[in-house]
Amino acid sequence: MSKCGKIASIFEELKSTHDKTFTTKLEEFPGGPDAFLFAAKFCYGIRVEFTARNIIMVYCAADFLEMTDEYGEDNLLLKSENFLHKNVLRNWKDCILALQSCESCMPRAEKLYILKKCLNAVSMMVCTDPSLFGWPMMMYGSLQSPGGSILWNGINTGARIRSAESDWWFEDISYFSVGLFERLIKTMEGRGIRCELLAGAIMYYARKYLPGLGRWQSMQGGKARTVASFSLTPVAVDQKVLLESIETLLPKKKGKSFCRFLLGLLRVASILGVNQTCQDSLERRIGMQLELASLDGLLIPSYSDSDTLYNTDCVERIVHHFVSLESGLTLFSPPSLDLESSPSSEPLRKVARLMDSYIAEVASDVNLKPGKLRTLAGVLPESSRPLHDGLYRALDIYFKAHPWLSDGEKEELCNIIDYQKLSVDACAHASQNERLPLRVILQVLFFEQMHLRMALAGCLNVLEAESAPTGQGEIAGNATAGQIMQRDGWVTVVRENRVLKVDMEKM
């Protein structure tokens, strides 16, 4: 009663209604029995020890019991506050331990701004060269000056000690609970830490507690982290809650490894059955950087009741997000800009090649419907494919895996191919492909003949330029020299092919 204002007020209140003995209950006591025992020992003069693991709990208990200087000089609340500011907030290791052990009294720590102070301290130390606060760069011992420079015989050399890696803190904060980790990341974001570092910390945390992401980890070498030399216990997390929280924390960032991580998250999200908002957001993020994705990342197995092996609906939605973004960008490009030569069209062509490979991969699934194949092929604009060889290859694989398709169904599928955009090799293969309907083979042969006529016509133009008058011949020759390499070699070929031109006209 002499040290605790709350106990004194409870006693005064109940003394008038009870004669001899009475009991009371301290509801929602922060820290539980351990914190109360610490306060009781302090009240009876028993020696107690403040540590990083118990300081927040003791601070909250002292505040709850109103152990202020009004009820005794140098009371528990003041001692706790001094230890927190002088010892814990200035040391990385103690700050991490204090935060990890504050789960039992989180609401009161929040109210007293202890949590905010610890989070700000950790954020500040992450932003600062770790050598400035003496940990983990302890190998220099007393040779380090208070300002962080290296001393030689007591003389400041000016050389700064720097951490070899910027991700030295990832392992330590990965021992926080999901809620505490989320608070820390938001605090760091408000302090202006680079989004690359924040994304790295989030990816590290997610890979630690989502085992399904194992195969999606980028191989960075198996070097062990030695900075976390103090003992920390991994927390138990709800994987579904974790993934939904991780998605909201991720910055807007692009990169191959980041895109691979997002695809891994989407795969795990499909297994865990996260809410639709989280899944839509992941698909939108992937669509923003689909040109950086890999084929194996897009091959997401179907975990629903669908008969197909792969989740093609998900990939279709991702491509739709990409196309909507690209179409929005092309609206601001000059109308005279040629799409084929425009640098901004390169992502579109990359995605087209990626989708051709994806369709070829899923085409061997016997349960894949022809309508879905047509939809996947037509989700990208026509201008995205300079060549249709990839689509032809995918269709050939599909026809091989589905021999029961009728000629009518095959012809309908073949309509997605522009035969004028087939290469010479693809035309040669298609003209002898027994799996194609006869009508399609005839169309291929027709366009193959057109290609041949155009090639011959170009060769004859070169020959005519050679036989033109001197003045005109020089002008025409100079005009064609920039387009045709080794022009003199072509002349002989053209002369030998004059007979072919006559045969072509007869045909």
Side-chain angles (χ1 to χ4, degrees):
M1 287 171 56
S2 63
K3 296 278 189 181
C4 306
K6 190 173 185 66
I7 299 293
S9 60
I10 291 174
F11 179 76
E12 292 295 330
E13 189 179 311
L14 296 178
K15 186 171 62 171
S16 58
T17 57
H18 295 76
D19 295 334
K20 294 182 180 180
T21 59
F22 54 87
T23 58
T24 186
K25 194 172 186 179
L26 300 175
E27 299 286 351
E28 300 179 359
F29 189 84
D34 292 336
F36 186 81
L37 179 61
F38 190 99
K41 285 182 177 180
F42 179 84
C43 290
Y44 285 95
I46 302 173
R47 184 178 179 273
V48 290
E49 183 183 2
F50 292 96
T51 66
R53 291 186 187 275
N54 68 18
I55 184 59
I56 294 182
M57 175 180 70
V58 170
Y59 193 120
C60 292
D63 178 76
F64 180 87
L65 292 171
E66 300 173 19
M67 299 179 71
T68 60
D69 287 355
E70 183 183 347
Y71 294 91
E73 188 179 351
D74 207 14
N75 210 342
L76 184 60
L77 186 60
L78 181 61
K79 280 184 171 290
S80 303
E81 188 174 3
N82 288 338
F83 184 84
L84 178 72
H85 286 88
K86 291 180 181 179
N87 298 82
V88 176
L89 297 182
R90 298 181 182 183
N91 185 285
W92 171 267
K93 171 184 172 181
D94 290 343
C95 218
I96 294 292
L97 289 173
L99 280 170
Q100 198 202 17
S101 57
C102 73
E103 294 291 335
S104 60
C105 49
M106 187 79 79
R108 199 161 195 92
E110 182 82 35
K111 181 182 175 183
L112 295 172
Y113 299 103
I114 306 173
L115 196 61
K116 186 177 181 180
K117 289 177 182 178
C118 290
L119 292 174
N120 282 333
V122 169
S123 302
M124 184 187 67
M125 286 187 266
V126 166
C127 293
T128 312
D129 186 344
S131 63
L132 296 180
F133 48 88
W135 190 90
M137 310 298 287
M138 296 297 290
M139 72 280 286
Y140 293 97
S142 60
L143 296 180
Q144 181 179 334
S145 72
S149 301
I150 302 174
L151 300 181
W152 178 77
N153 287 344
I155 302 172
N156 190 341
T157 62
R160 299 296 298 277
I161 308 169
R162 295 199 174 273
S163 174
E165 298 175 346
S166 59
D167 61 349
W168 57 268
W169 49 279
F170 289 2
E171 172 71 14
D172 297 340
I173 67 169
S174 70
Y175 289 93
F176 290 165
S177 65
V178 177
L180 194 58
F181 179 81
E182 189 174 353
R183 287 286 305 273
L184 178 60
I185 292 297
K186 288 180 179 177
T187 305
M188 289 180 173
E189 189 178 6
R191 192 168 279 275
I193 294 181
R194 289 184 294 126
C195 67
E196 290 83 4
L197 285 177
L198 290 180
I202 295 168
M203 290 162 69
Y204 190 93
Y205 189 87
R207 286 166 178 157
K208 185 166 188 171
Y209 295 106
L210 294 174
L213 283 174
R215 65 166 290 202
W216 302 97
Q217 291 192 34
S218 55
M219 301 302 176
Q220 298 174 343
K223 55 184 178 181
R225 293 179 178 268
T226 58
V227 288
S229 57
F230 47 94
S231 175
L232 288 173
T233 307
V235 294
V237 298
D238 184 331
Q239 292 187 345
K240 187 176 177 181
V241 173
L242 168 62
L243 201 150
E244 291 172 356
S245 300
I246 287 293
E247 189 281 319
T248 59
L249 292 175
L250 287 171
K252 291 183 179 179
K253 179 179 176 295
K254 294 183 75 171
K256 283 190 175 181
S257 61
F258 189 64
C259 184
R260 186 175 181 82
F261 171 75
L262 289 174
L263 285 164
L265 273 186
L266 184 59
R267 174 183 290 240
V268 177
S270 303
I271 300 173
L272 297 176
V274 299
N275 61 55
Q276 193 61 43
T277 305
C278 176
Q279 185 157 341
D280 291 344
S281 182
L282 282 173
E283 291 173 358
R284 196 177 301 109
R285 285 176 182 273
I286 297 168
M288 289 170 59
Q289 48 194 310
L290 186 58
E291 72 274 11
L292 303 175
S294 58
L295 175 60
D296 62 333
L298 284 181
L299 294 173
I300 303 171
S302 180
Y303 297 105
S304 61
D305 298 331
S306 175
D307 294 332
T308 55
L309 292 174
Y310 298 105
N311 193 343
T312 53
D313 294 335
C314 176
V315 173
E316 184 184 343
R317 290 192 296 269
I318 291 172
V319 179
H320 273 301
H321 288 307
F322 171 80
V323 171
S324 63
L325 183 67
E326 285 295 310
S327 60
L329 292 176
T330 52
L331 289 176
F332 297 97
S333 60
S336 59
L337 200 61
D338 184 12
L339 185 63
E340 297 295 330
S341 59
S342 170
S344 62
S345 66
E346 183 59 28
L348 198 60
R349 291 197 291 269
K350 283 184 178 179
V351 172
R353 291 194 292 268
L354 178 64
M355 280 304 295
D356 288 349
S357 301
Y358 177 80
I359 297 170
E361 193 69 31
V362 302
S364 56
D365 182 7
V366 294
N367 293 318
L368 186 67
K369 301 293 187 290
K372 176 54 69 176
L373 187 72
R374 279 198 306 274
T375 305
L376 289 173
V379 71
L380 286 171
E382 181 67 25
S383 59
S384 63
R385 291 183 174 94
L387 281 176
H388 277 211
D389 289 14
L391 280 181
Y392 167 70
R393 173 175 169 266
L395 277 185
D396 188 41
I397 294 173
Y398 188 77
F399 292 156
K400 187 176 181 180
H402 301 74
W404 55 83
L405 291 176
S406 64
D407 281 354
E409 290 175 313
K410 289 183 177 180
E411 288 177 13
E412 193 173 352
L413 279 174
C414 287
N415 288 336
I416 65 177
I417 298 178
D418 184 352
Y419 301 106
Q420 297 188 67
K421 291 187 176 182
L422 288 179
S423 65
V424 177
D425 294 334
C427 283
H429 186 278
S431 62
Q432 303 176 39
N433 193 343
E434 297 179 355
R435 287 186 284 271
L436 295 179
L438 183 59
R439 186 190 300 271
V440 174
I441 294 176
L442 290 175
Q443 288 183 20
V444 172
L445 288 171
F446 172 75
F447 284 108
E448 196 175 14
Q449 297 295 339
M450 283 187 62
H451 287 158
L452 181 59
R453 292 188 66 174
M454 290 170 64
L456 287 173
C459 293
L460 290 171
N461 288 337
V462 177
L463 184 61
E464 289 172 2
E466 286 293 323
S467 57
T470 307
Q472 296 178 0
E474 288 178 2
I475 297 172
N478 291 331
T480 56
Q483 301 173 1
I484 301 174
M485 297 180 65
Q486 297 178 349
R487 183 187 59 188
D488 295 338
W490 278 99
V491 175
T492 308
V493 177
V494 170
R495 286 170 179 163
E496 293 174 355
N497 286 337
R498 273 183 167 176
V499 179
L500 288 176
K501 182 182 177 184
V502 177
D503 293 340
M504 284 293 297
E505 288 173 349
K506 287 181 181 178
M507 191 174 358

